[in-house]
Amino acid sequence: MLLPILHYPDKRLRTKAVPIEKVNDAIRFLIKDMFSTMYNAPGIGLAATQVNHHIRLIVIDTSEDKTQPLCLINPEIIEKDGELEWDEGCLSVPDYYECVTRANHIKVRALNEQGEMFELEAQDILGVCIQHEIDHLDGILFVDHLSKLKQRRLLEKTKKSQK
Ligand code: K1U
Ligand code: ZN
């Protein structure tokens, strides 16, 4: 099932998501729908926050042929270093791309769909995407990393297009 994606400046995107206590079938159904929604958009990542579920769950697939689905439940960045600039987009901010500086290399700890803990090291687009999606779980959008001037221009453009 495809899920509706919340769009900036919807205030629900500012909700801080809560940890998932038990990885059960309801969570696994949501994961399946989130992957369908992400691939259909199309996108390379999606956080539960974006589909109005305020729990700490993200799905990602940065592969070219869409064969490497990755699900992270209760993800935590446990190490980060370096800096990297990347032109980011967001399914909640359609048709808007801007350069953001993030850590170049991260180590993340999370649960998988079976509720088992794992650790993953990531860099380049995968590392950027994980950081972008974890920001969503904390109610942070990539545009928050931009200058106040760029944020004001985006808000004006969004309000005009909504009229
Ligand atoms: O969280 C989201 O809104 C998804 C977002 C993830 C992301 C993209 C770029 C840098 C950081 C995080 C997207 O997927 S935007 C769409 C996109 O980048 C894309 C779409 C189709 C093919 C390739 C990329
Ligand atoms: Zn996003």
Side-chain angles (χ1 to χ4, degrees):
M1 187 173 73
L2 296 182
L3 306 167
I5 297 175
L6 300 177
H7 283 170
Y8 172 85
D10 193 313
K11 288 211 161 54
R12 291 171 289 182
L13 288 167
R14 300 306 187 174
T15 311
K16 189 168 167 68
V18 297
I20 292 177
E21 286 181 10
K22 192 166 169 33
V23 183
N24 55 23
D25 282 346
I27 297 291
R28 282 185 279 270
F29 279 123
L30 176 60
I31 292 169
K32 191 168 169 287
D33 288 345
M34 283 177 60
F35 272 117
S36 305
T37 305
M38 179 191 78
Y39 286 129
N40 178 71
I44 55 171
L46 188 70
T49 308
Q50 294 176 277
V51 288
N52 204 24
H53 286 263
H54 301 287
I55 53 174
R56 300 190 79 81
L57 164 63
I58 65 182
V59 297
I60 289 177
D61 189 343
T62 57
S63 67
E64 295 234 326
D65 54 0
K66 303 293 161 208
T67 54
Q68 287 165 43
L70 176 67
C71 166
L72 299 161
I73 296 168
N74 300 340
E76 274 177 79
I77 294 174
I78 53 174
E79 279 177 35
K80 57 165 133 179
D81 60 68
E83 270 193 5
L84 174 70
E85 282 191 347
W86 204 279
D87 212 21
E88 297 194 17
C90 181
L91 298 177
S92 296
V93 191
D95 306 320
Y96 189 75
Y97 288 82
E98 277 289 347
C99 213
V100 174
T101 304
R102 298 204 185 256
N104 177 34
H105 171 263
I106 59 165
K107 192 171 183 180
V108 64
R109 182 180 292 152
L111 303 178
N112 66 16
E113 288 180 61
Q114 308 311 320
E116 300 155 345
M117 190 177 285
F118 69 100
E119 287 181 4
L120 175 79
E121 291 198 43
Q123 50 201 345
D124 301 323
I125 184 60
L126 179 58
V128 167
C129 193
I130 291 172
Q131 291 173 78
H132 176 116
E133 302 309 333
I134 292 178
D135 265 3
H136 273 304
L137 302 182
D138 291 322
I140 297 166
L141 294 168
F142 84 104
V143 299
D144 300 343
H145 295 280
L146 306 177
S147 69
K148 291 286 171 229
L149 177 63
K150 282 185 177 169
Q151 291 183 40
R152 214 166 37 240
R153 280 188 186 147
L154 172 66
L155 199 56
E156 280 162 12
K157 186 180 129 197
T158 310
K159 280 182 187 160
K160 268 188 198 149
S161 69
Q162 282 173 347
K163 271 185 191 162

